[in-house]
Amino acid sequence: MRKSLKVLLAASLFVFMFAAAAPETSIQASKSRTSVTYKLKKGTLTISGKGKMPARMKFRKNKKIKKVIIKKGVTSISKEAFMGCKNLKSVSISKTVKEIGWYSFSGTAIKKITIPSGVKTIGQEALGNCKLLKNVTIPGKFKLKTMPYDDKAECITDDDIGHIDMVTFNTKLSISNVSYLAAKNFTVKKDDPNFRSIRGVIYTKNGKEIVRVPSARTELVIEDGCTDFHMQSVLYYSEDSEGDFVNGCDKLKKITIPQSVKRIDNTKYKTSSYFNSEVPVEHVAVNTKQLDGHSISVLINSLNFIGIKDIASQLPEQITFDHDMYITKDKVLLKYIGKSAAVSIPDGVKSIEERAFYDCSEMKTVTIPQSVEMIEKCAFKYTGLTKVDLPLNLKEVSEAVFYGCSKLSSIKIPDSVAVIKKEAFNDCSSLKTITFGKNLKEIRGNAFAGTAWTELVIPKNIRKIYKNAFVSCEAAKKVIIEGSTKNISANAFWLCPKLTITYKASPKNYQTCIDLYERDYIKNGKSKIKFGWTKLFGVSGYQIKLSTDKKFKKNVKTVTAKKTAKSKTVTVKNKYKTEYVKIRPYKVVNKKKVYGRWSSDSL
């Protein structure tokens, strides 16, 4: 009996000592729903079994691990699994693995790694802080899994700790995934149907278009034979939770453009919302004479440290300088550098390019010839314009084209214009008179935000108005909408406190903008929801529904409001859950209520 007790105590002591020596939070198969186990022997850690590696199976900062083998049957590598294992130099991953967690190999001493082609999900910074890492083989198509909220980072490798010599993609490439990897060279799969690698840079399959430049490059020499320089090849980037650059081309100093290049654009192969890059290019050698004016403009406006003088001096046959204006031989106005109060653009100019008059605060008036068909975004942003007559053949009103022109008092949109793009007249705080053209179809977000008009007519030809198109127009008092509201956002006139909307179409088109103000908690698990809406002319009342479910199927409460009301406070049996509110106006026609469209919000 005593012998048996001694054996039992000895076994218990052994188990205790083993558990104390085991990696922090590691687990055995007996505590997992999978059959995955591990074995550490002479510096080699072997993960074997079938199924996912348990989330708690982690070996963080384990100094004994020098090699890791993930055996066939294991389908995942848990997040932070080998994080900080600074002596880990070799990794072998089975083809059965489909998922690799975030920070899984971060801070290790690996020099190379092959991630099997079957891996579908890779966590952020899975290979972060690997100072010795030089070669990575990885799928071209995978889903990046990021951490939530403030810990989010759209990258797999770091761009500030060493640089990987080569990233080799072992499957068809999804171009957005390139931005997650900092490297000096990229190699795509030979049978990739869309792309090829030339000296470590990614081009289209035929080599005619440059698509991605490795972020660790300091100099780019575009291959002779390439005809299309896509600026997104260097402007691409990923970001962290604060919007800072991660793995962007932040080392690039010089670009050489060969004689074969005919076009430059900044939209194709775009994977971020960024256009004007912090890429620190200090010199661009332009060896081509085939660029049109728009291409030259894109080049200048895509790189912050490259100015018009730098490019014009290299292209004297294509760019002339007269009356403080740089104009190309194909009649594109690139830049005005004068300080006149009255500016006259030469007749024959067809296009006014991006930022051509940007921040020309001295300019009060501009004469635009009828030959102009295109005015690019931000062309007159932050100018001192008080008046402008748009040419009759203008195709569109571009994005932010008159943004911040605080002295502009009136604008007439020509009949030729079909679209007013976002932020076109944003913050034109003196803009009181707006006349829409007969063929205008769309007004996009924030197009007239913060303007000073008091009365406005939306004609039938305007079929679509985006959210916040007229937001924060505090002087607005009256809007008449003549046509259908099917594609007019209920929030088009949000935060216009004095506004009354009149509809000329059927009451079925009526809609108002709802704005939730506040929530006050009261006794017994109840709370008061206070909200308001934009006043409508000619309605008989409003129907309002509240619910804890955005589909309005749970805890629904229905109330009404009089036609003269602009706000309401409702008590609900809900103290902590999100409260969804929607409202629709109605009009009594032949003793029947005809309801308009719902608009909604949540608090």
Side-chain angles (χ1 to χ4, degrees):
M1 181 69 179
R2 290 180 179 178
K3 185 176 180 179
S4 299
L5 183 59
K6 287 180 179 181
V7 171
L8 181 60
L9 288 171
S12 299
L13 182 60
F14 174 78
V15 170
F16 174 79
M17 292 176 66
F18 179 82
E24 181 186 3
T25 69
S26 64
I27 69 169
Q28 294 290 343
S30 60
K31 295 183 180 181
S32 172
R33 295 182 180 180
T34 71
S35 62
V36 175
T37 60
Y38 68 85
K39 181 179 180 181
L40 177 57
K41 185 177 181 181
K42 295 182 179 181
T44 298
L45 179 70
T46 303
I47 311 291
S48 59
K50 292 184 179 182
K52 290 187 175 183
M53 186 174 168
R56 291 180 294 140
M57 187 182 283
K58 297 176 183 178
F59 305 87
R60 291 174 296 187
K61 298 183 179 181
N62 190 308
K63 297 179 182 179
K64 296 180 180 180
I65 300 175
K66 297 179 181 179
K67 182 178 181 179
V68 168
I69 301 173
I70 311 295
K71 302 284 282 185
K72 182 179 179 180
V74 178
T75 59
S76 73
I77 298 174
S78 57
K79 60 186 180 183
E80 302 176 3
F82 310 103
M83 183 177 179
C85 294
K86 62 181 183 180
N87 293 321
L88 175 56
K89 297 180 179 180
S90 176
V91 175
S92 175
I93 304 174
S94 168
K95 293 181 180 180
T96 58
V97 171
K98 304 299 180 185
E99 181 179 352
I100 297 176
W102 58 56
Y103 292 92
S104 49
F105 294 99
S106 177
T108 60
I110 57 175
K111 295 182 179 181
K112 64 178 181 178
I113 188 170
T114 296
I115 297 175
S117 59
V119 170
K120 304 298 182 184
T121 303
I122 303 175
Q124 73 175 53
E125 298 216 42
L127 303 175
N129 197 25
C130 293
K131 299 178 181 180
L132 302 178
L133 187 59
K134 296 298 180 183
N135 290 279
V136 175
T137 299
I138 193 170
K141 189 175 183 179
F142 60 84
K143 180 181 179 181
L144 177 70
K145 187 173 184 179
T146 60
M147 296 178 72
Y149 310 117
D150 293 342
D151 296 318
K152 177 183 177 181
E154 294 180 346
C155 62
I156 292 173
T157 63
D158 296 311
D159 63 354
D160 57 348
I161 301 178
H163 286 294
I164 297 167
D165 287 333
M166 179 66 74
V167 170
T168 301
F169 297 103
N170 56 19
T171 69
K172 175 184 174 181
L173 179 61
S174 176
I175 201 64
S176 61
N177 289 345
V178 172
S179 61
Y180 309 143
L181 300 153
K184 295 177 182 178
N185 295 281
F186 294 127
T187 298
V188 301
K189 206 167 183 286
K190 286 185 178 181
D191 60 355
D192 191 299
N194 301 314
F195 307 109
R196 64 182 292 196
S197 302
I198 304 176
R199 279 182 270 278
V201 176
I202 300 175
Y203 291 79
T204 52
K205 194 70 174 179
N206 61 7
K208 298 290 186 181
E209 305 172 50
I210 185 170
V211 179
R212 282 293 181 271
V213 178
S215 62
R217 293 285 181 98
T218 59
E219 182 176 352
L220 167 64
V221 178
I222 299 174
E223 293 293 318
D224 194 18
C226 176
T227 59
D228 292 70
F229 180 14
H230 301 301
M231 292 302 303
Q232 290 297 321
S233 64
V234 297
L235 299 184
Y236 77 92
Y237 73 103
S238 58
E239 60 185 294
D240 60 17
S241 60
E242 297 179 353
D244 293 328
F245 291 123
V246 183
N247 293 344
C249 288
D250 59 353
K251 308 291 187 297
L252 193 62
K253 298 290 185 181
K254 182 178 179 181
I255 298 174
T256 300
I257 303 174
Q259 61 181 1
S260 59
V261 170
K262 299 178 181 179
R263 290 169 292 275
I264 301 176
D265 81 274
N266 62 356
T267 57
K268 197 170 182 180
Y269 300 109
K270 177 175 171 286
T271 56
S272 74
S273 60
Y274 207 65
F275 281 97
N276 301 98
S277 175
E278 297 297 331
V279 174
V281 174
E282 298 173 350
H283 179 65
V284 176
V286 183
N287 297 317
T288 177
K289 296 182 179 180
Q290 302 187 71
L291 296 177
D292 61 15
H294 181 67
S295 294
I296 296 171
S297 172
V298 169
L299 177 64
I300 295 168
N301 286 294
S302 296
L303 299 169
N304 286 348
F305 303 106
I306 301 299
I308 180 63
K309 291 183 180 179
D310 298 322
I311 304 303
S313 63
Q314 299 183 62
L315 301 172
E317 296 178 2
Q318 292 173 267
I319 303 174
T320 59
F321 181 66
D322 189 26
H323 291 87
D324 295 323
M325 298 180 198
Y326 288 94
I327 301 176
T328 64
K329 65 180 182 181
D330 58 342
K331 303 301 181 181
V332 170
L333 196 164
L334 297 173
K335 188 69 177 176
Y336 170 76
I337 62 171
K339 294 186 177 181
S340 298
V343 177
S344 181
I345 296 172
D347 191 28
V349 168
K350 296 179 180 179
S351 173
I352 302 172
E353 285 299 310
E354 179 181 346
R355 299 166 67 93
F357 294 89
Y358 181 87
D359 204 24
C360 291
S361 57
E362 299 90 349
M363 184 173 66
K364 306 301 180 185
T365 63
V366 60
T367 302
I368 304 175
Q370 296 302 321
S371 57
V372 171
E373 297 180 353
M374 191 68 191
I375 305 176
E376 295 288 350
K377 69 176 185 176
C378 303
F380 293 95
K381 187 174 183 179
Y382 296 135
T383 59
L385 283 174
T386 59
K387 181 183 178 182
V388 61
D389 292 325
L390 297 177
L392 299 179
N393 293 315
L394 191 67
K395 295 179 180 179
E396 64 180 34
V397 178
S398 298
E399 177 183 336
V401 65
F402 295 101
Y403 189 112
C405 294
S406 59
K407 298 178 181 179
L408 186 64
S409 60
S410 66
I411 194 71
K412 182 179 180 180
I413 308 300
D415 291 343
S416 56
V417 171
V419 178
I420 299 176
K421 292 193 172 181
K422 66 178 183 178
E423 300 186 332
F425 299 94
N426 192 345
D427 202 26
C428 291
S429 54
S430 299
L431 185 58
K432 294 181 179 180
T433 305
I434 303 169
T435 305
F436 297 118
K438 295 179 181 179
N439 295 302
L440 184 63
K441 300 293 187 296
E442 289 187 14
I443 302 175
R444 296 185 181 173
N446 292 90
F448 292 92
T451 49
W453 56 274
T454 56
E455 295 188 8
L456 200 63
V457 176
I458 306 296
K460 288 182 180 181
N461 54 276
I462 298 178
R463 300 173 184 173
K464 189 170 185 177
I465 303 179
Y466 287 62
K467 180 179 179 180
N468 295 341
F470 297 90
V471 67
S472 298
C473 296
E474 296 184 1
K477 293 182 179 180
K478 183 179 180 181
V479 167
I480 298 174
I481 298 178
E482 295 183 337
S484 169
T485 61
K486 182 179 180 180
N487 294 308
I488 296 179
S489 169
N491 292 316
F493 298 92
W494 187 47
L495 298 180
C496 299
K498 301 175 184 178
L499 183 64
T500 298
I501 300 177
T502 300
Y503 294 97
K504 293 295 186 180
S506 160
K508 292 181 179 181
N509 288 281
Y510 291 8
Q511 63 182 1
T512 185
C513 176
I514 192 168
D515 182 24
L516 293 180
Y517 296 145
E518 60 187 31
R519 178 185 200 138
D520 293 327
Y521 297 117
I522 56 180
K523 296 180 180 180
N524 303 319
K526 296 180 181 180
S527 59
K528 288 184 178 180
I529 307 294
K530 186 178 181 180
F531 51 93
W533 56 88
T534 302
K535 186 178 179 181
L536 304 184
F537 177 80
V539 299
S540 301
Y542 302 90
Q543 183 185 55
I544 303 157
K545 289 190 176 185
L546 301 92
S547 175
T548 56
D549 172 33
K550 63 182 178 180
K551 294 184 179 181
F552 289 84
K553 293 183 178 180
K554 299 178 181 178
N555 305 314
V556 179
K557 185 170 185 176
T558 302
V559 297
T560 58
K562 296 180 180 179
K563 64 180 181 179
T564 55
K566 291 183 65 177
S567 65
K568 196 170 185 70
T569 300
V570 179
T571 300
V572 296
K573 295 179 180 180
N574 169 22
K575 188 174 182 180
Y576 297 112
K577 291 183 178 180
T578 299
E579 195 74 37
Y580 298 90
V581 183
K582 65 180 182 179
I583 183 172
R584 63 177 176 176
Y586 66 86
K587 184 175 183 178
V588 177
V589 180
N590 297 326
K591 297 182 180 181
K592 292 184 179 181
K593 289 182 179 179
V594 179
Y595 288 98
R597 302 185 190 278
W598 288 109
S599 55
S600 60
D601 204 347
S602 62
L603 184 68

